[in-house]
Amino acid sequence: MNHVFIINPKAGKKDISNYIIGELNKLKDIIKYSVYITSNRNDAFLYTKKYCEEHDEATRFYACGGDGTLNEVVNGVMGFDNKQVTCYPCGSGNDFVKNFGVKEDFLDLLKLINGSEVEVDLLKVNDRYTINICNLGFDAFVADNMVKFKNKPLMNGHSAYTMAVLYSVLFKMKHKCQIFLDDEEIYDNYMLLCAVANGKCYGGGYYCAPEAKVDDGLIDFCLAKKVTRVQLFKMIKKYKQGLHLVDNKVKNFIMYKKCKKITIKAPNELIYCMDGEIAKSNKIDIIIHQRAIKFIIPQKNLDLLI
């Protein structure tokens, strides 16, 4: 089997490309591998897809970066049966691997190389596949504005995020939408945010879908209704901890369901994120593809799927 390491040098707080290459050099007698370092957005997708088209051999791709890098690699291998994917989590969030334990479990290259294959579901969101979560509303608006603030003079990542949150609290606390689950309308009103989940958490550890399983063939749908600013700050801690479904002060603002198909319509363009990748549309169609991709996890983490 070929092992292809796709490294995003911009993921995380610093470029660890040389570190990964150095660790791989120690394993050159154990595996046949190659390394590709991305240079811009969508590069991982384009490289992976082209590689799959040009190589018939069984191949495992290691997405070395964050959830966005993993998303690109996943989209690149779709449709190629003898290809596997895993993640060497060196990005800022790396939420998908938390479905199998902690990200440190995936940072031992030898254990990852000797890991086990599991089949996991994917969400198809309009024309793109999502392995973890598609979110829209308040937090997607924050993510979009963070990019804009980050390009301003004297702004770093932390200050850009703080400014994006403040801006969103002041100007965009509600989003009008009409939502259908399995072709049945279940909501037509203003919302705060919505998470359409395959995995449990996103955004660096917000457990929006504590009941989600990545191989059950079901979408976990979580919607937070329109709230006041005071209610938002009371809710956000419980939402991050995954307690929003059981906390008596919060659960009345939450709608949580499981389904196989979702359609979301809006009178105005909605900002949404797919594994952190930002897009915009007035209509979002989401379906589940059960056990659509082969994902490699460290051997000791297998029992966490049960």
Side-chain angles (χ1 to χ4, degrees):
M1 173 177 283
N2 294 332
H3 297 257
V4 179
F5 291 81
I6 298 178
I7 304 174
N8 179 359
K10 297 179 182 178
K13 295 181 179 179
K14 63 179 181 179
D15 181 1
I16 64 167
S17 304
N18 290 334
Y19 172 79
I20 295 173
I21 292 170
E23 292 299 297
L24 287 172
N25 283 335
K26 301 174 185 177
L27 305 173
K28 61 184 179 182
D29 295 328
I30 298 175
I31 59 168
K32 176 185 175 183
Y33 73 89
S34 59
V35 173
Y36 181 77
I37 299 177
T38 63
S39 57
N40 49 55
R41 185 180 179 184
N42 220 38
D43 194 10
F45 163 70
L46 294 172
Y47 177 81
T48 303
K49 185 174 178 60
K50 184 178 180 181
Y51 187 100
C52 291
E53 291 171 343
E54 295 177 351
H55 296 81
D56 293 330
E57 305 93 333
T59 305
R60 181 184 301 171
F61 292 91
Y62 298 74
C64 305
D67 285 322
T69 308
L70 176 60
N71 178 282
E72 289 192 28
V73 173
V74 164
N75 277 272
V77 305
M78 276 301 296
F80 298 93
D81 292 336
N82 63 342
K83 303 299 189 277
Q84 302 173 335
V85 176
T86 191
C87 179
Y88 183 85
C90 52
S92 55
N94 293 113
D95 290 294
F96 183 71
V97 299
K98 294 171 187 174
N99 290 286
F100 312 100
V102 295
K103 76 175 191 177
E104 285 74 18
D105 295 331
F106 286 76
L107 290 174
D108 186 317
L109 277 176
L110 189 57
K111 289 182 180 179
L112 194 57
I113 289 165
N114 292 320
S116 300
E117 176 187 297
V118 296
E119 293 181 334
V120 301
D121 303 342
L122 292 180
L123 305 175
K124 189 173 185 182
V125 183
N126 286 347
D127 58 353
R128 187 184 181 101
Y129 291 96
T130 298
I131 195 169
N132 193 37
I133 286 169
C134 171
N135 61 290
L136 56 144
F138 179 79
D139 46 1
F141 190 74
V142 170
D144 186 51
N145 279 288
M146 180 180 173
V147 174
K148 296 174 184 177
F149 280 115
K150 200 171 182 179
N151 292 326
K152 301 288 185 181
L154 305 177
M155 282 282 180
N156 58 28
H158 178 74
S159 59
Y161 177 77
T162 301
M163 288 299 297
V165 170
L166 292 173
Y167 181 85
S168 302
V169 167
L170 289 173
F171 296 106
K172 203 64 176 177
M173 283 276 295
K174 61 181 183 179
H175 305 260
K176 183 73 167 65
C177 63
Q178 184 182 20
I179 301 175
F180 300 82
L181 301 190
D182 294 331
D183 296 320
E184 178 184 352
E185 183 182 307
I186 58 99
Y187 196 77
D188 186 4
N189 208 329
Y190 287 96
M191 66 164 183
L192 173 69
L193 59 84
C194 175
V196 179
N198 183 40
K200 295 179 184 294
C201 69
Y202 72 117
Y206 283 81
Y207 282 80
C208 62
E211 297 179 4
K213 292 186 177 182
V214 297
D215 62 349
D216 63 355
L218 295 171
I219 302 169
D220 282 58
F221 168 85
C222 181
L223 180 140
K225 300 174 185 178
K226 182 182 70 172
V227 296
T228 66
R229 292 176 177 84
V230 172
Q231 289 168 333
L232 169 65
F233 290 112
K234 289 181 179 179
M235 177 190 298
I236 201 69
K237 182 178 180 180
K238 301 298 181 182
Y239 185 72
K240 183 171 186 177
Q241 294 172 334
L243 299 176
H244 51 294
L245 305 186
V246 296
D247 187 274
N248 290 328
K249 294 182 180 179
V250 172
K251 65 182 183 181
N252 290 335
F253 300 110
I254 301 295
M255 180 181 292
Y256 194 95
K257 295 181 180 292
K258 292 178 181 283
C259 60
K260 290 181 176 290
K261 177 183 177 183
I262 298 175
T263 297
I264 302 172
K265 300 178 181 179
N268 301 308
E269 195 173 55
L270 282 171
I271 299 170
Y272 62 102
C273 296
M274 299 166 289
D275 300 332
E277 299 298 302
I278 298 170
K280 299 177 182 180
S281 179
N282 288 75
K283 183 183 179 186
I284 308 169
D285 290 307
I286 305 166
I287 58 174
I288 190 82
H289 287 250
Q290 188 169 14
R291 301 189 177 186
I293 202 163
K294 301 176 179 69
F295 190 77
I296 302 299
I297 63 175
Q299 180 71 38
K300 74 172 189 175
N301 299 74
L302 270 175
D303 58 347
L304 294 172
L305 275 176
I306 300 172

